[in-house]
Amino acid sequence: MIDEAGSPQSGDPASPPPPARRKRNLFPYLALVPAAAFVLLLMVLPIGQTIYHSFTYWDGLSSKYIGLKNFQLIFHNPVLPQILMNSVIFLISVPLILAASLVTAVLVYEKVLGWRVFRFLFFIPNVLSPVIVGVLFSTVFLPAGAVDKLLGGFGLGNFAWLSNPWTARAVVILALVWTSFGFGMVVILSAMTTVDTALYDAANIDGASWWRRLRSITIPMISGSLQFLSVINVIYTFTSLFSFVFVITAGGPGFATTTVDYYTYITTFENGQFGYGAALALILFIIVLTLTIVQVKMFPNREVQQGS
Amino acid sequence: MNTTSRIGRGVVFTLLCLVAVSTVYPLLFMALNTMKSSNAFAINPYSLPKHFSLSSFSQLFSQVPFLAAILHTFIVVVPAVVMATFFSSLAAFVFTKTPIKFGNVLFWVMLMIMFMPGIVILLPLYVAIAHAGLANNFVPAILIYTAINIPYGTYLLRSNFRSIPDSVVEAARMDGASWMRVFVKVILPIGRPGILTVGILTFLNIWNELFVSLVLLHATNTEMITPTLAQLSGKYSTNVPVLMAGLLLGAVPTLLLYFVSARVFIRGMLSGAVR
C-alpha cells in the first residue's frame, strides 16, 4: 500500500497489444467487474450512506436530517475524551510490537540450530483468532486465576487485573503484542535477507561489535519495513482492538479500555442510535485516514523495499 | 569457531527457546487443562492431568451448539474465500498485465479503503440487510466477507504478479492467446504460491473475525464460531476445562491450515506483504 504513494505510474506495464488483435478487447474490463462490483456496492456505497446518515437522526427505521447535531452531541459527550485517550494509550503497543518483532527477527537471523522451526513457531499466535487469544487471556488473568497462581509462587497475592484500568489496558496490550509480533518478525526477516552480506563482512573486518552492526547496518537497511509495520500497527490499534476489548474487558472497568469502534458498536447495535453511531464511525474513519497519510508523509524512505 | 561466538550462539538459542515457549505453551496449557476437572484446574492450572479424558469435549458438545457453529463458519468461509481469491486474482492480473484505461482508479479506491474500520460499512449494511428480511441469512455475510477481503487480496497479488515477467505474457499474446487464456494458462500456474497465500490469509481473516459475524449472524441456527467462543467465556468462567476445549477446537482449523501450508504461506507473504 505504502510504496504506491510515490510512484502511481509504476504498475502499468502498458504493453501495447500485438498488431494482429488491435480490435477492442473487452476482457480486461469484464474481468474487473466482479471485484469492482463488490468493492463499490458493499464498501464504497455504504461509506457514502454512513457519511449521509451521520447528519441524520436515524433509529434504523426512519431517518431525519438534523445537520451537525450528532457531532455536537459527540463532542459534548463526557466519555469521548476518555475513549480517544484510550486509543492513544493503546498506541504503546506499536513500539512494543516493533521491538519484539525486531528482537525475534534478529535472533532468528543468526541461523542457529532450528531457526526455521523457531520462525514457524513464532508465527503461531498470528493465526489464532483474537477471540481465542482474548478469552484465554481474560481467563488466566481472572482473580485467583492462572496468573495469580503463578505469582503466588513468588509470594505475591491475588490481584484483580481486569478491574484496574491500567492493568486491564496492559492485558489488552499484551494480547495484541503477542498476536502481532510474528507478522512483524516475518516482515523484518524478509527485509534482512535483502541486506548485502558484504556489508556485514566489512564490518566484521573492521571489528564492529554485534550491537554496532545492528545499529549501523541492519536497522538503517530495514527502516522501510519498520515504517511499514509502524503504519499498519498504528492503524490496527484504532481498527482492530474490537475483538480483544469485546472478550477481555467489555470496555471496562468503566470506560478504561473502550475504543472508538467498541463504543460505536454499543451505541448502535445495543442502544439503536444509528445516526449517532454513523457520526462516531465517520470520526474514526477520518482519524485512521489522517494517521495513515501523516505517517506515510513523515517517513518517505522506501528505497530498501523497492530494491527487494 | 571461537568460544565467544559459541557462547553467543548458545545465548541466542536460549532466547529463541524462551520466545518459543511463550507462543507454544498457551496451546499446551489449553490442551492439558481440557483433561482436568474444573476443581483440579482451580487448584493447580499448571499440573499435568491425572488421566486422559475427553469429558470436557463431550460436555461442550452436549451443552453448546458448537459443531453447528463450526459448520456455519465453513458455510460462510468457503464460498467467500473462493470468490475473494478468484476475483482478486482477476483484478490483480488486469492491473498488472493488461493495457486498461482508468483501471488504476479502482486500485486507488481499494488502497484507500483497505484499512477502513469495519463499522463504517457495517452500520448501513446491517440496516439494509435487516430491512430486506435477510438478518441471520448466510448469503449477505458471504458477500460482505468477500467484499472486505478483495482490496487486500488484490493489493498482495498485484505486487506478486508484477514479479511475473511481462515477456512471458507478451509471448503468449503473440502466439494468439486471448487474455482469458493468458490468465488461466500463464498467470494462474506461475502465480500459484501468491494466490494460495491470499486464499489462506482470507480464510484466516474470516475464520478469526468477530465483528461481522457478531452483527450479521446472531441467531443460534446461524451463529459462527467466534461469537460462540466469545459467549463461552461468560458461560464457563467457572468451568474452565470446557472453555479450553472450545478455544482449542476453535483454533484447530486455522492451526491445521497453517501447519500444512507454512512454507508456501510464509514465502508468499514475504513476496507480497512488504513490497
Side-chain angles (χ1 to χ4, degrees), chain B residues 6 12 19 32 36 44-45 47 53 64 80 85 93 110 115 123 126-127 131 151 163 173 196 203 208 220 225 238:
Chain B
R6 215 187 245 169
V12 169
V19 183
L32 291 176
K36 295 182 195 165
N44 186 354
S47 65
S53 156
V64 180
T85 310
F93 167 59
M110 288 191 187
F115 291 121
L123 223 147
Y126 168 79
V127 173
H131 274 282
S163 61
R173 291 287 288 164
L196 274 178
F203 182 96
N208 292 340
T220 314
I225 186 68
T238 52

Side-chain angles (χ1 to χ4, degrees), chain A residues 1 13 50 60 120 146 149 308, chain B residues 42 46 96 120 131 155 258 274-275:
Chain A
M1 164 205 156
T50 296
F120 171 81
K149 287 266 171 12
S308 69
Chain B
Y46 301 104
T96 51
V120 178
H131 274 282
Y155 164 70
Y258 174 59
V274 239
R275 289 194 43 130

Side-chain angles (χ1 to χ4, degrees), chain A residues 152-233:
Chain A
F154 298 99
L156 295 166
N158 289 343
F159 188 77
W161 298 94
L162 300 175
S163 307
N164 173 297
W166 286 101
T167 48
R169 288 175 189 136
V171 172
V172 172
I173 290 173
L174 184 66
L176 180 64
V177 173
W178 189 66
T179 46
S180 306
F181 83 91
F183 178 75
M185 173 205 64
V186 168
V187 168
I188 292 174
L189 267 177
S190 84
M192 289 176 75
T193 52
T194 66
V195 178
D196 191 350
T197 48
L199 284 173
Y200 290 115
D201 295 340
N204 274 336
I205 292 166
D206 292 345
S209 68
W210 181 87
W211 176 245
R212 174 81 208 203
R213 289 198 307 266
L214 177 69
R215 245 188 44 213
S216 303
I217 302 177
T218 311
I219 292 181
M221 292 303 280
I222 61 165
S223 62
S225 308
L226 294 176
Q227 178 210 333
F228 168 81
L229 288 174
S230 103
V231 171
I232 61 162
N233 281 305

Side-chain angles (χ1 to χ4, degrees), chain A:
Chain A
M1 164 205 156
I2 295 92
D3 67 328
E4 310 309 330
S7 53
Q9 79 292 354
S10 55
D12 300 312
S15 53
R21 24 176 81 239
R22 270 241 186 261
K23 66 176 194 288
R24 221 176 152 69
N25 197 325
L26 280 177
F27 174 83
Y29 297 93
L30 289 177
L32 270 187
V33 166
F38 271 102
V39 168
L40 294 178
L41 290 177
L42 294 177
M43 297 184 84
V44 176
L45 181 66
I47 294 173
Q49 287 175 311
T50 296
I51 295 173
Y52 167 73
H53 281 295
S54 66
F55 300 105
T56 66
Y57 174 83
W58 188 30
D59 57 8
L61 292 169
S62 61
S63 73
K64 191 178 82 204
Y65 180 79
I66 54 167
L68 292 170
K69 192 84 188 297
N70 286 324
F71 294 94
Q72 281 166 0
L73 283 173
I74 288 172
F75 290 119
H76 287 103
N77 184 338
V79 174
L80 190 79
Q82 157 99 72
I83 290 170
L84 291 175
M85 193 38 116
N86 289 339
S87 288
V88 174
I89 293 168
F90 283 135
L91 284 176
I92 295 169
S93 63
V94 178
L96 294 178
I97 292 167
L98 286 184
S101 308
L102 182 63
V103 169
T104 45
V106 167
L107 290 175
V108 170
Y109 189 74
E110 292 289 321
K111 307 224 158 103
V112 295
L113 184 69
W115 65 275
R116 279 200 181 82
V117 177
F118 287 117
R119 187 181 67 177
F120 171 81
L121 295 178
F122 293 174
F123 199 76
I124 286 178
N126 213 279
V127 304
L128 298 176
S129 172
V131 174
I132 292 172
V133 175
V135 172
L136 180 67
F137 274 57
S138 71
T139 306
V140 297
F141 279 101
L142 282 177
V147 170
D148 279 345
K149 287 266 171 12
L150 192 66
L151 294 176
F154 298 99
L156 295 166
N158 289 343
F159 188 77
W161 298 94
L162 300 175
S163 307
N164 173 297
W166 286 101
T167 48
R169 288 175 189 136
V171 172
V172 172
I173 290 173
L174 184 66
L176 180 64
V177 173
W178 189 66
T179 46
S180 306
F181 83 91
F183 178 75
M185 173 205 64
V186 168
V187 168
I188 292 174
L189 267 177
S190 84
M192 289 176 75
T193 52
T194 66
V195 178
D196 191 350
T197 48
L199 284 173
Y200 290 115
D201 295 340
N204 274 336
I205 292 166
D206 292 345
S209 68
W210 181 87
W211 176 245
R212 174 81 208 203
R213 289 198 307 266
L214 177 69
R215 245 188 44 213
S216 303
I217 302 177
T218 311
I219 292 181
M221 292 303 280
I222 61 165
S223 62
S225 308
L226 294 176
Q227 178 210 333
F228 168 81
L229 288 174
S230 103
V231 171
I232 61 162
N233 281 305
V234 167
I235 298 170
Y236 282 173
T237 306
F238 282 88
T239 62
S240 305
L241 280 179
F242 177 84
S243 314
F244 286 127
V245 171
F246 187 88
V247 296
I248 299 179
T249 61
F255 288 98
T257 55
T258 302
T259 54
V260 183
D261 53 354
Y262 187 76
Y263 191 66
T264 313
Y265 169 82
I266 301 286
T267 49
T268 43
F269 295 108
E270 291 188 3
N271 303 344
Q273 299 169 290
F274 284 81
Y276 188 81
L280 274 169
L282 189 62
I283 290 172
L284 178 62
F285 187 27
I286 292 168
I287 292 174
V288 170
L289 212 58
T290 313
L291 280 173
T292 314
I293 294 167
V294 166
Q295 288 195 95
V296 171
K297 295 267 179 228
M298 245 165 61
F299 313 92
N301 169 17
R302 288 288 303 175
E303 67 273 64
V304 179
Q305 260 77 22
Q306 275 154 7
S308 69

